[in-house]
Amino acid sequence: MLCIALAGTAAELLYVRFASASPGSTPLPEPPYPLQTAPPYTIALDAGHGGMDTGAQSLIDEVIVCDKTVAALYTLLSTDPNFTPILTRTPEEDPPIKDRAETATLAQASLLISVHANQDGSRQSHGFECFPTPPGRLYSAESLHFAQCIVNNMASAGHRLRGETGIRFAYYNGKSKKIVDSTDTKVRSQKSFGIVEKVGCPAVLVEQCFITNYSDVENWASDEGCTRAARIYYEAICTYFGTTPLPKT
């Protein structure tokens, strides 16, 4: 079942929501999921947290960074005829990861980006990192390629890349999280971030900046910073699909 609603925001976003795969509803396709081979490509945008869940809180709430960046990226993609953006949630919602992934999968998304922001007890920590689907999982190679497109653009924009390359893999053992750099290609059985494992397409979770660092907040969490980051993600998406970005306005 498909449900479409118009939100009366400044960006006039179109929220495309799909019912969960429950008895009587549209079933999820069996993996490997079919991906689009020609434009317009459907791009799933997952703004972290939402609703009552603000995410991390410090100099700014994480959810504000997520929402502003995704709204700007949605506008860029919806202007480009090569892409059809969809959102995994509205600003008022905080659906479970499983529901977010199913929304993207049932929309037959060809790519997903999940936007988050980081925090640390030390205000000195700063920079960008992203987490593609880990080795051994479906679409891990494509996810790594998309992550590389993003970090190349972030580095060109002057953002500090954390770790060796800015690309890392995350694994959970209970509540304990292990993070390794992308040079560690060992296939592990531990779960990673749910959104990059459960969705039926290549996916990357980005940590855009540290909301505990004044410089990061000024450059990457302000209105201008979120717009800049959205442009970087947009151009990375274009690079991934081999399309030409629309000129900056």
Side-chain angles (χ1 to χ4, degrees):
M1 180 172 64
L2 173 63
C3 177
I4 302 179
L6 284 175
T9 65
E12 291 299 318
L13 302 186
L14 176 65
Y15 297 110
V16 180
R17 299 308 309 274
F18 292 82
S20 298
S22 55
S25 67
T26 303
L28 287 171
E30 292 295 324
Y33 307 101
L35 298 179
Q36 296 158 301
T37 58
Y41 302 103
T42 300
I43 311 298
L45 308 181
D46 178 59
H49 308 283
M52 298 296 292
D53 180 9
T54 64
Q57 293 180 300
S58 185
L59 302 175
I60 188 173
D61 287 351
E62 179 183 1
V63 70
I64 295 175
V65 180
C66 302
D67 282 341
K68 288 194 299 186
T69 303
V70 164
L73 179 54
Y74 185 103
T75 299
L76 287 169
L77 290 168
S78 61
T79 304
D80 189 329
N82 288 308
F83 303 107
T84 300
I86 66 161
L87 302 177
T88 63
R89 70 165 177 83
T90 69
E92 297 78 22
E93 296 177 318
D94 177 26
I97 296 300
K98 178 177 178 290
D99 290 356
R100 296 172 187 244
E102 286 187 0
T103 294
T105 300
L106 287 170
Q108 297 184 325
S110 290
L111 198 65
L112 177 141
I113 180 170
S114 182
V115 177
H116 290 257
N118 234 327
Q119 69 169 344
D120 191 79
S122 169
R123 294 192 183 274
Q124 301 305 311
S125 297
H126 66 288
F128 174 87
E129 58 189 351
C130 64
F131 298 85
T133 307
R137 272 73 158 180
L138 191 62
Y139 301 125
S140 61
E142 295 88 346
S143 300
L144 180 61
H145 174 54
F146 179 40
Q148 189 63 62
C149 295
I150 295 174
V151 298
N152 287 347
N153 290 358
M154 281 291 178
S156 296
H159 206 353
R160 175 179 180 260
L161 301 181
R162 291 177 56 79
E164 296 182 26
T165 64
I167 303 174
R168 301 173 130 176
F169 302 123
Y171 301 96
Y172 284 92
N173 185 6
K175 294 184 178 180
S176 176
K177 181 168 68 173
K178 179 183 180 66
I179 294 178
V180 302
D181 282 301
S182 60
T183 52
D184 184 344
T185 58
K186 177 182 178 181
V187 176
R188 292 174 166 85
S189 61
Q190 292 96 333
K191 294 181 179 180
S192 186
F193 292 123
I195 193 65
V196 302
E197 287 202 304
K198 297 178 183 298
V199 70
C201 66
V204 168
L205 183 149
V206 301
E207 296 282 6
Q208 187 162 303
C209 62
F210 276 79
I211 61 171
T212 45
N213 180 275
Y214 287 100
S215 178
D216 264 17
V217 168
E218 179 181 0
N219 290 308
W220 298 101
S222 62
D223 289 347
E224 181 181 347
C226 290
T227 299
R228 183 187 307 117
R231 180 73 194 190
I232 286 172
Y233 301 142
Y234 164 65
E235 292 183 357
I237 291 169
C238 291
T239 299
Y240 179 86
F241 287 105
T243 65
T244 301
L246 298 175
K248 295 181 180 180
T249 57

